[in-house]
Every structure is written in structure tokens, then in C-alpha cells.
Amino acid sequence: MVKRLLIAANWKMNPPPEGSLLPASPYLEHAAVDVIVLPGHLDLERCIAARLITGGQYGHPEPKGAHTGDVSIQMLARLGCRYVLCGHSERRRDHHESSAFVMEQVVAALEANIHPILCVGETLEEREAGKEHEVVKHQLKGLPEHGEITIAYEPVWAIGTGKTATPQQAQAMHAFIRPLLPKDLHAATRILYGGSMNKDNAEALLLRPDIDGGLIGGVAQA
Ligand code: PGA
């Protein structure tokens, strides 16, 4: 099976890069690969209006309620978002999102007909202690059996550090993750790699059999 790659640009808390909303945006839908953008919440509408395939970087699983400052996944769906990131390590770190809460987001996204991208990955300390498999397995616990889910393996030590996982390290973790997915969905589910991916290292990573795309931060903001 020839896999169709998914490239997701995570703009984090930065404005859309120059030219990204123009008619000839490099982020427009592409014949050979799926391309999506993940802007800050205030830029979502502009990206959708520019005909980019757009996703939220976070959404609260409850449809509405007393959560000052929050935005629900259902609100993202109403706006026209097609994707939502769930459990990016910066959210887990800055907002203390637990794996159980992150899985609630995945379920809420599916209910709202948005495609969740579930982020998993270990910290440097966890890898040094040989716990990376245990950590990632825990983060995948309770994953619903559904075809419209993407996984993003992002080792925390590689995010924004310029220290990419080697293609061998990334492939090894992706090959570990795939059999943990609900059976019947092993082949169909895309597993993205994220963490200092750039034009120099992307090809070697994407040629690996279990790496189905990239979640790209730093270089997608330039
Ligand atoms: P990076 O970020 O490409 O800057 O490492 C990836 C991410 O955080 O999704």
C-alpha cells in the first residue's frame, strides 16, 4: 500500500507565517500529500477563509460550560475546523493535561466529527530511565476504535531543541505504537513524527515504513 503522507504545521502561539494566507499559499491542499495548518485560536477563521485545511491546537472536551478562557471542540467544529491536536506535550506541561483528559478530547473530537491528532511521547528523563515504551503505552490507553484518528509521536526531548530522533529511533517507536492501535486499524492509521523535523532530515524519516507524516513546529513558523 502506498501511504499518503500527512504534513501538519503547528504554528503554536505565533501568527500565521508570511504568505500562508495568500491565494498561492504553500499550505494549500496538495496533490501528493495532505497538508493541514494548526494556527492559534484567533487565526482559525482566517485560515479557513483562505481555504486551508485547518485544525485547532487544543479544544475542551465539554461542549460548553464554566471554563473561563477555554474553547470547546464543539466550537472548533462549528467554525469549520477539520482537525484538533490532543495532548501536545506543551499542553500537558503548561496546563497539566492528564492522559485521561486528553483521551476525553479524542472522544469529543470524534463525536463532533473532527479528526483528532493524539500526541504522545516521552521526556528525556523517561527515555534515559528506559521508560519510553511504558509512557507511550499509557498515553494510548483507552484509544477509541475509530478510523478517523491520527497519532503523532513527539519525543519531548526533540521538540524545538534541534535534536531530532534518528530515523531508527523514530521508526522503532512507531513500530511499537502500531500494534497497540485497535486491530483492523493498524494499517489505516497514520502515525506522524514530530520533533525538530526540517527539510534536511524529513526525507530520511518519511522513508521509514511506519512514519506516515510529520507534525512540524519551528520550521513551519519561519
Ligand atoms: P518542532 O515542534 O518542529 O519545533 O520541534 C514540533 C511540535 O511541537 O509539534
Side-chain angles (χ1 to χ4, degrees):
M1 189 174 82
V2 180
K3 61 184 179 183
R4 191 174 160 84
L5 298 175
L6 170 62
I7 302 296
N10 178 9
W11 292 341
K12 309 195 178 190
M13 200 173 70
N14 298 293
E18 219 180 306
S20 59
L21 303 177
L22 296 178
S25 171
Y27 294 93
L28 280 170
E29 222 168 338
H30 200 275
V33 291
D34 289 332
V35 179
I36 68 168
V37 297
L38 303 160
H41 284 155
L42 295 182
D43 292 313
L44 287 168
E45 222 165 344
R46 292 205 291 154
C47 292
I48 294 165
R51 310 171 80 88
L52 306 183
I53 310 276
T54 303
Q57 295 172 11
Y58 159 79
H60 195 287
E62 286 174 27
K64 60 188 177 112
H67 299 288
T68 303
D70 246 330
V71 167
S72 74
I73 286 172
Q74 209 169 87
M75 289 168 170
L76 297 178
R78 269 206 301 276
L79 203 65
C81 287
R82 305 252 305 266
Y83 288 79
V84 62
L85 271 191
C86 301
H88 190 283
S89 61
E90 288 157 11
R91 299 281 320 169
R92 293 179 192 259
R93 181 197 65 203
D94 297 350
H95 299 275
H96 311 291
E97 291 187 20
S98 68
S99 292
F101 181 68
V102 169
M103 210 48 88
E104 283 179 41
Q105 296 169 32
V106 171
V107 171
L110 295 171
E111 282 170 4
N113 283 321
I114 300 192
H115 188 115
I117 302 176
L118 169 63
C119 301
V120 299
E122 79 286 357
T123 62
L124 184 60
E125 299 75 62
E126 288 161 346
R127 179 164 278 260
E128 283 175 351
K131 292 193 169 149
E132 66 272 27
H133 294 109
E134 190 187 314
V135 167
V136 168
K137 192 171 175 183
H138 175 73
Q139 291 169 334
L140 288 166
K141 209 168 125 211
L143 190 74
E145 193 159 343
H146 199 290
E148 288 294 323
I149 297 176
T150 294
I151 309 295
Y153 170 57
E154 297 206 301
V156 178
W157 47 270
I159 296 177
T161 57
K163 191 169 184 264
T164 327
T166 64
Q168 292 82 346
Q169 282 173 321
Q171 165 59 28
M173 183 57 90
H174 286 224
F176 170 76
I177 291 171
R178 201 172 290 285
L180 298 176
L181 304 176
K183 56 178 182 327
D184 300 338
L185 297 176
H186 290 181
T189 303
R190 287 191 284 204
I191 307 176
L192 314 182
Y193 169 78
S196 298
M197 198 186 234
N198 59 41
K199 66 176 173 28
D200 297 323
N201 59 33
E203 189 179 357
L205 287 158
L206 295 171
L207 281 172
R208 293 290 162 152
D210 287 295
I211 303 183
D212 306 321
L215 178 52
I216 301 175
V219 297
Q221 291 150 28

